[in-house]
Amino acid sequence: MSADDDRAREQLIDLAARFYDQFEQGEVPSMSIPTRTKSNIEYDEEADVWVYGDRESTRSANSVRGAQKLLKAVYTIDFLADQLEQDRSSTLRELYYLSESWDNDNAQFNDQDESNQLVEDLEIVSEVTREDFHMRPEESGAKVMGPLRIREQTNRGAREIHCQDDVGQGGYQIPNNPDTIEFLECDAEFVLCVETGGMRDRLVENGFDEEFGALTVHLGGQPARATRRLTKRLHDELDLPVTVFTDGDPWSYRIFGSVAYGSIKSAHLSEYLATPQAQFIGIQPADIVEYDLPTDPLSDSDVNALESELEDPRFQTDYWEEQIELQLEIDKKAEQQALAARGLDFVTETYLPERLDEMGVL
Amino acid sequence: MSADDDRAREQLIDLAARFYDQFEQGEVPSMSIPTRTKSNIEYDEEADVWVYGDRESTRSANSVRGAQKLLKAVYTIDFLADQLEQDRSSTLRELYYLSESWDNDNAQFNDQDESNQLVEDLEIVSEVTREDFHMRPEESGAKVMGPLRIREQTNRGAREIHCQDDVGQGGYQIPNNPDTIEFLECDAEFVLCVETGGMRDRLVENGFDEEFGALTVHLGGQPARATRRLTKRLHDELDLPVTVFTDGDPWSYRIFGSVAYGSIKSAHLSEYLATPQAQFIGIQPADIVEYDLPTDPLSDSDVNALESELEDPRFQTDYWEEQIELQLEIDKKAEQQALAARGLDFVTETYLPERLDEMGVL
């Protein structure tokens, strides 16, 4: 077991030990966790991320339902501790099905929501992330292309990979747990997260990563946890500026938001996943005007989403207010690939260099 | 330009030359293509794939609308021929936006459906696939893990990659055009296409590819063209049996169908994409009974989908009729990962070896 696995296992066992001590002292066992409702989530102005507030709810064995919840927690802790000891891993879905094989029927999960929620509870209480329990997501991380040499600890040994020279056109596939990656050598100047596969492929074809020292990270829509985690590590450990390049519509601003500020749903993970220093490249509403891009009109749901972003503390900056108000005024949105209306090289020869220069990245 | 690019370019230029000849001979230029409606699609019993029937429709310049269509075709051919000559590529979406930069307003596309359809028309008429025009899909291919060494011709040189030793836990990312791959050395015994990421990761973690000489190909739901193309090439060129492992529900049988028989939507590509020799491993309805798997009841739309599969020529075999009727009778479906109810190693130590043995693959 690695030191990290050891620590995760200890945190879990400590949780179970707390129940044991409660029993010993004649107390009814219980576990307190932050209330995970929208009203108990706060924006931490200093850290620039979402965090839980002070309200807590208690899972106590003073009812049959409560006792069952704690029983399930104990069985799950036992499973996870074994998993760590054996250096294995599993998915949330496997955990749910696996509970069918447990000897106590009361410990079995009724549905997958229940097992998912329990694992999130354990993450919060133990302060160990799911990845460190060796729980794998169903969703794959994205792919990386750029001047970076890494060593990944796979379950069949270490692999050293240069993310340009040792990979195909598709790039390096981020593993489910990017904390198995060690950064060996980095010639990149900045990270460029890209929303769509089409644009990612354009940048790679045009050699943008080679010419500008960009480490391109394909987000593929709403980014997976693995992708956000790797992005944060690239920023924190390699001191690389992180930039995010998406379509110019409210849904894409949310993608930027999830990279930069985390999400309400995973507020307990903000410190682990969010990169508050990430900067938005575009497509900005101002770009739609400046470059006269082909557009679509805003739909009603676009307008609603923009209006709710104006209320969102993450977007309450002069920059975002100006851009969002401009977008509502021009009533237009544009895709990344709309830049092709100016030719296939416009994005790499003109648009991105200009924006990166304005932003002080290049 | 490679010989393939050269051929693709010639086929395109030939199309344009036909219009020229028609003009020369005082004829109204026109182009005939198979009617692409459901009623003109036939199941080719011999080849075991979908193909177009004999009905054709004609795009003729004898109306303004028809003339505009041919004008757009000529501009697109010109763009594609240049693209091939310069060894570049683009996405369907870029083509749509790029048309805004064309000097003739009448040649510009009104919406993306129009440009997508024109490219499909050109595929059919020229008998060159979209990939050979260097049109990239937006969707990424899947990832491969197994004992295979390949050489991929990327746009920055050739890369030799062993799909176990030179990749991380995430595997080798299939490029958008898998015809850039050359197979160098193969120690695999068979191909195992896997529907879900969770199961793909289970097989990799358990070392199934190493122990059984399996080349695992992650489908990720409905497989991308690149994934189906690579699978077909693995079968045809390396003589590997292809097996498909999915959830046990009607939507997953369709995923199998698209690997094995192609789809109605891309009937003109069946020969290029479909692997009629592919075999279905499971989850079979019979497995649900035999292994007493955790299940969900069939929904109304599941029942409808199963009933329409009974009418589908691709599923009119004794095997599929028996399985689908059994499923309707037991009124249950099961996911791949439900095998975890028998322990995390059951799938690799018992289920798959037994099924592969029954099927004569192992």
Side-chain angles (χ1 to χ4, degrees), chain A residues 142-145 174 190-196 199-200 203 208 214-221 223 227-232 234-235 241-247 252 255-256 258-260 275 278-283 336 352 356:
Chain A
K143 44 202 193 177
V144 171
M145 179 78 95
I174 304 174
F190 64 102
V191 175
L192 180 65
C193 300
V194 186
E195 178 179 354
T196 66
M199 181 53 78
R200 180 262 173 209
L203 299 182
F208 186 76
L215 194 60
T216 61
V217 175
H218 176 214
L219 298 175
T227 310
R228 287 183 281 153
R229 174 63 181 160
L230 184 72
T231 301
K232 182 183 181 54
L234 290 167
H235 175 272
V242 169
T243 60
V244 181
F245 183 24
T246 68
D247 288 340
S252 296
I255 290 175
F256 165 70
S258 90
V259 171
T275 311
Q279 292 177 271
F280 184 69
I281 288 193
I283 304 292
Q336 301 192 290
L352 286 176
L356 290 163

Side-chain angles (χ1 to χ4, degrees), chain A residues 22-240:
Chain A
Q22 288 167 331
F23 270 121
E24 276 250 303
Q25 289 160 27
E27 290 168 19
V28 177
S30 69
M31 177 167 91
S32 290
I33 54 167
T35 307
R36 296 172 54 214
T37 56
K38 207 168 171 180
S39 59
N40 192 40
I41 283 164
E42 295 168 3
Y43 193 68
D44 180 332
E45 304 274 345
E46 216 158 304
D48 252 353
V49 292
W50 292 100
V51 294
Y52 288 113
D54 294 332
R55 281 198 286 143
E56 294 206 323
S57 49
T58 300
R59 306 275 152 86
S60 161
N62 62 5
S63 70
V64 172
R65 219 180 110 84
Q68 275 182 335
K69 273 202 193 271
L70 292 189
L71 183 71
K72 289 173 195 196
V74 171
Y75 267 83
T76 303
I77 288 171
D78 184 51
F79 165 72
L80 293 173
D82 274 359
Q83 171 163 289
L84 285 164
E85 199 166 49
Q86 294 166 28
D87 196 19
R88 302 202 59 181
S89 59
S90 55
T91 64
L92 287 169
R93 202 166 292 224
E94 284 177 326
L95 169 64
Y96 161 62
Y97 285 121
L98 198 75
S99 76
E100 297 237 351
S101 68
W102 291 346
D103 55 13
N104 188 327
D105 285 358
N106 282 306
Q108 294 172 10
F109 296 109
N110 298 315
D111 53 48
Q112 215 195 314
D113 280 348
E114 194 181 31
S115 50
N116 289 355
Q117 167 140 18
L118 176 62
V119 170
E120 283 191 31
D121 287 352
L122 292 178
E123 272 188 307
I124 296 168
V125 181
S126 68
E127 294 179 347
V128 173
T129 62
R130 201 166 79 191
E131 285 78 359
D132 285 342
F133 294 150
H134 291 199
M135 294 302 294
R136 281 186 263 107
E138 309 284 334
E139 53 175 12
S140 295
K143 44 202 193 177
V144 171
M145 179 78 95
L148 173 70
R149 204 156 59 80
I150 57 110
R151 180 187 294 125
E152 180 188 328
Q153 196 58 51
T154 76
N155 75 341
R156 43 189 86 177
R159 299 280 185 271
E160 282 193 25
I161 297 169
H162 187 282
C163 299
Q164 281 169 333
D165 302 341
D166 300 332
V167 297
Q169 194 92 2
Y172 167 67
Q173 170 71 43
I174 304 174
N176 287 317
N177 182 359
D179 285 359
T180 56
I181 296 175
E182 188 185 338
F183 302 130
L184 298 180
E185 198 187 333
C186 176
D187 295 315
E189 303 289 330
F190 64 102
V191 175
L192 180 65
C193 300
V194 186
E195 178 179 354
T196 66
M199 181 53 78
R200 180 262 173 209
D201 293 341
R202 164 64 44 223
L203 299 182
V204 170
E205 175 174 320
N206 289 10
F208 186 76
D209 53 314
E210 295 178 317
E211 191 175 344
F212 290 91
L215 194 60
T216 61
V217 175
H218 176 214
L219 298 175
Q222 197 64 38
R225 279 167 68 128
T227 310
R228 287 183 281 153
R229 174 63 181 160
L230 184 72
T231 301
K232 182 183 181 54
R233 287 192 57 210
L234 290 167
H235 175 272
D236 290 2
E237 296 170 35
L238 297 177
D239 214 19
L240 295 176

Side-chain angles (χ1 to χ4, degrees), chain A residues 248-265:
Chain A
D249 64 49
W251 317 101
S252 296
Y253 308 153
R254 286 193 191 172
I255 290 175
F256 165 70
S258 90
V259 171
Y261 311 113
S263 61
I264 292 181
K265 194 170 150 270

Side-chain angles (χ1 to χ4, degrees), chain A residues 79 83 87-91 93-94 97-98 100-101 136-138 140 143 145 152-156 159 161 164-176 197-198 201-207 209-210 218 294 296 335 337-338 340-341 343-345, chain B residues 79 83 87-91 93-94 97-98 100-101 136-138 140 143 145 152-156 159 161 164-176 197-198 201-207 209-210 218 294 296 335 337-338 340-341 343-345:
Chain A
F79 165 72
Q83 171 163 289
D87 196 19
R88 302 202 59 181
S89 59
S90 55
T91 64
R93 202 166 292 224
E94 284 177 326
Y97 285 121
L98 198 75
E100 297 237 351
S101 68
R136 281 186 263 107
E138 309 284 334
S140 295
K143 44 202 193 177
M145 179 78 95
E152 180 188 328
Q153 196 58 51
T154 76
N155 75 341
R156 43 189 86 177
R159 299 280 185 271
I161 297 169
Q164 281 169 333
D165 302 341
D166 300 332
V167 297
Q169 194 92 2
Y172 167 67
Q173 170 71 43
I174 304 174
N176 287 317
D201 293 341
R202 164 64 44 223
L203 299 182
V204 170
E205 175 174 320
N206 289 10
D209 53 314
E210 295 178 317
H218 176 214
D296 284 310
E335 295 184 337
Q337 294 190 61
L344 293 180
D345 299 328
Chain B
F79 165 71
Q83 169 161 292
D87 195 19
R88 301 202 59 182
S89 59
S90 56
T91 64
R93 201 166 292 222
E94 285 177 325
Y97 285 120
L98 198 74
E100 297 237 350
S101 68
R136 282 186 265 107
E138 309 284 333
S140 295
K143 45 203 192 176
M145 178 77 95
E152 181 189 327
Q153 197 59 50
T154 76
N155 75 340
R156 43 189 86 175
R159 298 282 185 269
I161 297 169
Q164 282 169 332
D165 302 341
D166 300 331
V167 297
Q169 194 92 3
Y172 167 68
Q173 171 71 43
I174 304 173
N176 287 319
D201 292 340
R202 164 63 44 222
L203 300 181
V204 170
E205 175 173 320
N206 290 9
D209 52 315
E210 295 179 315
H218 176 215
D296 284 308
E335 296 184 335
Q337 294 191 62
L344 293 179
D345 298 329

Side-chain angles (χ1 to χ4, degrees), chain B residues 36 42 93 116 124 138 211 224 321 355:
Chain B
R36 296 170 55 212
E42 295 167 3
R93 201 166 292 222
N116 289 354
I124 296 168
E138 309 284 333
E211 191 175 343
E321 277 169 22
R355 282 290 295 138

Side-chain angles (χ1 to χ4, degrees), chain B residues 253 280 283-290 298 306 309-312 314-332 355 358:
Chain B
Y253 308 153
F280 184 68
I283 304 289
Q284 314 174 95
D287 299 331
I288 296 176
V289 179
E290 183 175 347
L298 296 178
L306 285 170
E309 278 164 9
L310 281 175
E311 304 295 310
D312 185 328
R314 299 179 296 176
F315 290 99
Q316 276 167 9
T317 64
D318 290 346
Y319 170 77
W320 278 110
E321 277 169 22
E322 196 179 303
Q323 294 298 325
I324 292 172
E325 275 161 15
L326 174 61
Q327 184 149 35
L328 288 166
E329 193 185 307
I330 60 176
D331 196 30
K332 287 172 181 168
R355 282 290 295 138
E358 274 167 39

